[in-house]
């Protein structure tokens, strides 16, 4: 069953894939993300992040609320580079830190 | 999850679990050193290594950078087999196409290619029509010429670092992640111990491979390093069908862009306004400049969707070449720092020469040219080819 439960639709990872990585010793979301690309696709972790945290929580016995979700980076929603280029004609002065 | 506090002794302690720390551990272990400990404050490749542009190139402008890059590329070609890694390091040799946009830069390219060819690097100078044979949709407006080396390319930084770390562990090295170095104990001009958040490690040899934090580690040992760390930003698009083989790069336009094997386009650029205070937050100005400049150079990217941006630290040295080897003032303190944005691609050379240096062997490459004292003596050779 675990082989057919999809956790990450963008990068095509199953529950079993995630459990295997946790068993290999990757026990933070950031590590699993970087080694498997979970959370790096078009959804940017919206679907998979809580599912992966839940798996980590079960495996290592730490509540989900105490686990790091990693860093959320812009943009909130993907956007074509051309659209950014058009916006940039008027803007371009500000740094958002 | 903090386990029992450490109290141990090591032959060598390596500070930093990026590509440099892991290749140094691997090379020392391969040479028979048994008691090696790598101390990493977060997880492997969590710093500059895992945030880099994932490119590898041999087209450099100084002899040492060329030689180290060539050595590293040759080793990367054999890495999968040599390291016996189960995963995929995503090695691709699609080349680097580097374009010039001024006559002055074109003249520099002629010198670079001559130097590279003399060192066995198969790069060549191209006219713009020849560059378009490699990237048909390249917009050559405002460009002068290009150089190309087919053997340059791409590697996945996380998997590559993990591959070296796993190989080092199989040979007996220990890697302590989520363990932060808090001090280095020096007595009578000699390294004695490393203090960490999980306890002390007695040792006579410490390697500073701390990437963006190298200058702080230096201070712990009482050594002022002429380094600063500067934020550099990258963005990635959604994965698309493969249309771009090489990395396309320009020093004068200050950008690079490569389609990685997974399909996404990774692109970055430098900016003089970037903070130098260890911040790695995201800035909007970068996204605007990046999208404007890259869609002009590579017009089909207008339709690519920007998914995510991130940032990491370039650990800048005064001549944009690494600082390697022992520190004369502190016996047992070794440096593998100051990569100025290209530490990942030099990883194999770093591992080799630092291991040799520690063991008192003749180094494969003449790293005395890259020692710390070169700055005192004013013997600087500036690397002209950095984004």
């Amino acid at each position: 069953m675990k082989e057919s439960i999809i956790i990450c639709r963008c990068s095509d990872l199953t529950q079993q894939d995630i459990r295997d990585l946790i068993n290999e010793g990757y026990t933070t979301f950031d590590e699993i993300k970087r080694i498997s690309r979970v959370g790096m696709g078009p959804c940017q972790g919206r679907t998979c992040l809580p599912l992966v945290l839940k798996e980590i929580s079960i495996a290592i016995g730490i509540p989900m609320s105490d686990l790091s979700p990693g860093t959320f980076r812009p943009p909130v929603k993907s956007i074509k580079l051309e659209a950014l280029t058009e916006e940039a004609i008027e803007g371009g002065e500000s740094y958002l830190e | 999850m903090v386990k029992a506090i450490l109290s141990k002794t090591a032959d060598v302690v390596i500070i930093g679990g990026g590509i440099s720390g892991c290749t140094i551990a691997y090379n020392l272990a391969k040479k028979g050193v048994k008691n090696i400990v790598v101390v990493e404050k977060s997880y492997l490749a969590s710093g500059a290594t895992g945030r880099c542009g994932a490119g590898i190139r041999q087209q450099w402008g100084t002899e040492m950078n060329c030689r180290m890059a060539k050595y590293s590329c040759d080793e990367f070609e054999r890495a999968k087999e040599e390291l016996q890694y189960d995963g995929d390091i995503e090695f691709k040799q699609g080349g680097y196409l580097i374009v010039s946009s001024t006559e002055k830069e074109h003249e520099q390219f002629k010198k670079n290619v001559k130097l590279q060819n003399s060192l066995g690097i198969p790069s060549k100078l191209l006219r713009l029509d020849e560059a378009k044979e490699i990237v048909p949709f390249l917009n050559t407006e405002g460009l002068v010429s290009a150089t190309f080396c087919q053997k340059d390319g791409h590697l996945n930084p996380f998997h590559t670092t993990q591959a070296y770390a796993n190989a080092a562990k199989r040979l007996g090295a220990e890697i302590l992640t989520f363990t932060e170095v808090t001090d280095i104990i020096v007595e009578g001009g000699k390294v004695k111990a490393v203090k960490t958040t999980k306890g002390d490690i007695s040792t006579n040899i410490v390697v500073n491979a701390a990437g963006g934090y190298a200058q702080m580690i230096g201070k712990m040992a009482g050594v002022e390093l002429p380094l600063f760390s500067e934020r550099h930003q990258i963005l990635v698009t959604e994965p698309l069908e493969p249309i771009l083989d090489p990395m396309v790069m320009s020093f004068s336009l200050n950008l690079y862009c490569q389609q990685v094997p997974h399909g996404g386009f990774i692109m970055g650029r430098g900016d003089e306004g970037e903070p130098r205070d260890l911040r790695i937050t995201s800035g909007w100005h970068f996204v605007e400049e990046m999208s404007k400049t890259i869609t002009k150079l590579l017009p089909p990217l207008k339709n690519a969707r920007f998914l995510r941006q991130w940032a990491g630290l370039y650990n800048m040295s005064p001549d944009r070449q690494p600082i390697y080897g022992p520190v004369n003032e502190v016996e047992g303190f070794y440096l593998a720092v100051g990569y100025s944005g290209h530490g990942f691609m030099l990883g194999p050379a770093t591992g080799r020469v630092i291991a040799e240096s520690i063991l008192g062997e003749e180094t494969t490459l003449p790293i005395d040219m890259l020692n710390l004292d070169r700055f005192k003596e004013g013997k600087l050779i500036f690397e002209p080819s950095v984004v």
Side-chain angles (χ1 to χ4, degrees):
Chain A
M1 263 306 282
K2 304 291 179 287
E3 289 81 18
S4 60
I5 298 173
I6 300 292
I7 294 259
C8 170
R9 293 180 294 186
C10 305
S11 298
D12 195 22
L13 294 158
T14 65
Q15 187 176 30
Q16 192 61 52
D17 292 330
I18 299 301
R19 288 185 175 180
D20 288 346
L21 288 169
I22 294 170
N23 284 333
E24 281 177 42
Y26 302 104
T27 55
T28 61
F29 181 75
D30 264 352
E31 287 171 276
I32 295 171
K33 171 181 165 183
R34 289 173 187 223
I35 215 78
S36 73
R37 287 201 173 85
V38 72
M40 284 188 181
C43 94
Q44 287 293 293
R46 276 177 195 78
T47 311
C48 52
L49 171 60
L51 301 173
V52 172
L53 289 179
K54 183 84 188 167
E55 290 294 330
I56 296 171
S57 174
I58 292 167
I60 65 174
I62 290 177
M64 275 177 74
S65 55
D66 292 347
L67 296 174
S68 169
T71 307
F72 293 94
R73 294 279 190 178
V76 172
K77 190 173 184 302
S78 69
I79 180 170
K80 282 188 180 179
L81 290 177
E82 183 174 34
L84 288 166
T85 308
E86 287 162 5
E87 277 305 307
I89 292 166
E90 294 297 320
E93 79 293 355
S94 64
Y95 269 78
L96 187 77
E97 303 293 0
Chain B
M1 278 212 301
V2 178
K3 300 270 163 57
I5 293 289
L6 292 168
S7 177
K8 54 169 38 183
T9 300
D11 292 334
V12 182
V13 174
I14 299 163
I15 302 172
I19 189 71
S20 298
C22 293
T23 56
I24 295 165
Y26 170 68
N27 277 274
L28 283 170
K30 203 167 71 166
K31 287 175 178 292
V33 179
K34 288 294 171 214
N35 201 348
I36 303 161
V37 179
V38 178
V39 184
E40 163 54 49
K41 75 169 180 172
S42 183
Y43 50 89
L44 293 179
S46 55
T49 294
R51 296 166 188 280
C52 80
I56 60 155
R57 67 168 151 127
Q58 303 171 66
Q59 297 181 75
W60 289 95
T62 67
E63 182 182 339
M64 280 309 291
N65 274 341
C66 283
R67 291 179 69 173
M68 291 187 298
K70 180 173 192 308
Y71 177 89
S72 297
C73 184
D74 290 349
E75 186 168 314
F76 282 138
E77 289 179 357
R78 304 184 301 266
K80 167 115 181 123
E81 288 70 31
E82 179 176 337
L83 302 173
Q84 296 174 21
Y85 185 57
D86 293 336
D88 184 1
I89 58 172
E90 298 173 23
F91 186 43
K92 161 187 153 179
Q93 285 178 301
Y96 262 50
L97 182 71
I98 308 181
V99 297
S100 69
S101 68
T102 65
E103 280 300 328
K104 190 176 163 225
E105 192 175 25
H106 172 60
E107 291 304 314
Q108 180 68 48
F109 278 18
K110 286 188 196 165
K111 286 185 211 157
N112 286 0
V113 167
K114 201 174 163 195
L115 171 70
Q116 290 154 10
N117 291 170
S118 76
L119 298 168
I121 295 166
S123 57
K124 52 192 175 185
L125 192 65
L126 301 182
R127 295 188 312 269
L128 293 175
D129 61 307
E130 293 171 316
K132 276 181 88 81
E133 284 173 22
I134 297 168
V135 180
F137 49 83
L138 181 74
N139 175 10
T140 54
E141 186 193 334
L143 302 183
V144 178
S145 65
T147 66
F148 182 72
C149 176
Q150 184 71 58
K151 290 207 157 207
D152 297 348
H154 167 274
L155 271 165
N156 180 311
F158 314 124
H159 284 281
T160 305
T161 305
Q162 194 70 50
Y164 278 99
N166 290 358
K169 279 195 271 190
R170 280 199 305 273
L171 294 168
E174 185 176 6
I175 298 182
L176 300 173
T177 53
F178 299 100
T179 307
E180 188 169 352
V181 170
T182 55
D183 204 3
I184 298 169
I185 306 302
V186 177
E187 284 171 12
K190 292 179 182 176
V191 166
K192 289 292 172 194
V194 172
K195 288 186 169 293
T196 80
T197 47
K198 292 191 187 163
D200 300 351
I201 309 169
S202 299
T203 184
N204 294 320
I205 297 175
V206 169
V207 184
N208 179 356
Y213 305 92
Q215 54 274 38
M216 275 79 94
I217 296 297
K219 277 206 182 86
M220 289 179 189
V223 178
E224 286 291 330
L225 297 172
L227 302 168
F228 66 87
S229 293
E230 181 175 84
R231 182 180 74 177
H232 277 246
Q233 302 191 66
I234 294 184
L235 69 79
V236 65
T237 71
E238 64 192 331
L240 296 165
E241 290 298 314
I243 59 165
L244 179 65
D245 257 350
M247 174 81 92
V248 176
M249 185 174 221
S250 167
F251 307 118
S252 51
L253 304 175
N254 211 354
L255 57 79
Y256 61 86
C257 174
Q258 177 162 231
Q259 186 173 26
V260 301
H262 171 251
F265 288 81
I266 287 183
M267 58 190 83
R269 51 177 290 125
D271 191 319
E272 287 181 0
E274 288 288 357
R276 296 178 174 180
D277 57 6
L278 303 178
R279 252 183 298 177
I280 48 169
T281 48
S282 294
W284 187 247
H285 183 70
F286 157 73
V287 176
E288 292 186 340
E289 292 300 318
M290 188 78 244
S291 56
K292 271 193 288 191
T293 47
I294 203 67
T295 56
K296 181 170 184 240
L297 189 64
L298 302 170
L301 286 178
K302 284 178 182 172
N303 290 315
R305 285 183 170 275
F306 153 45
L307 270 192
R308 184 175 66 258
Q309 67 182 107
W310 68 89
L313 297 173
Y314 276 24
N315 191 234
M316 301 299 294
S317 76
D319 59 4
R320 299 160 159 190
Q321 299 189 99
I323 307 175
Y324 278 147
V327 176
N328 289 332
E329 293 74 24
V330 181
E331 193 180 325
F333 191 49
Y334 289 79
L335 302 174
V337 302
Y339 296 101
S340 309
H342 41 279
F344 174 62
M345 68 177 82
L346 298 182
T350 298
R352 176 86 180 215
V353 297
I354 299 297
E356 290 167 339
S357 175
I358 289 169
L359 296 174
E361 298 172 4
E362 189 178 342
T363 54
T364 302
L365 298 164
I367 59 163
D368 47 329
M369 292 169 75
L370 296 177
N371 65 17
L372 179 61
D373 286 341
R374 75 182 187 269
F375 304 108
K376 284 185 207 155
E377 294 157 8
K379 288 183 193 160
L380 299 198
I381 308 163
F382 286 89
E383 171 56 65
S385 307
V386 175
V387 169

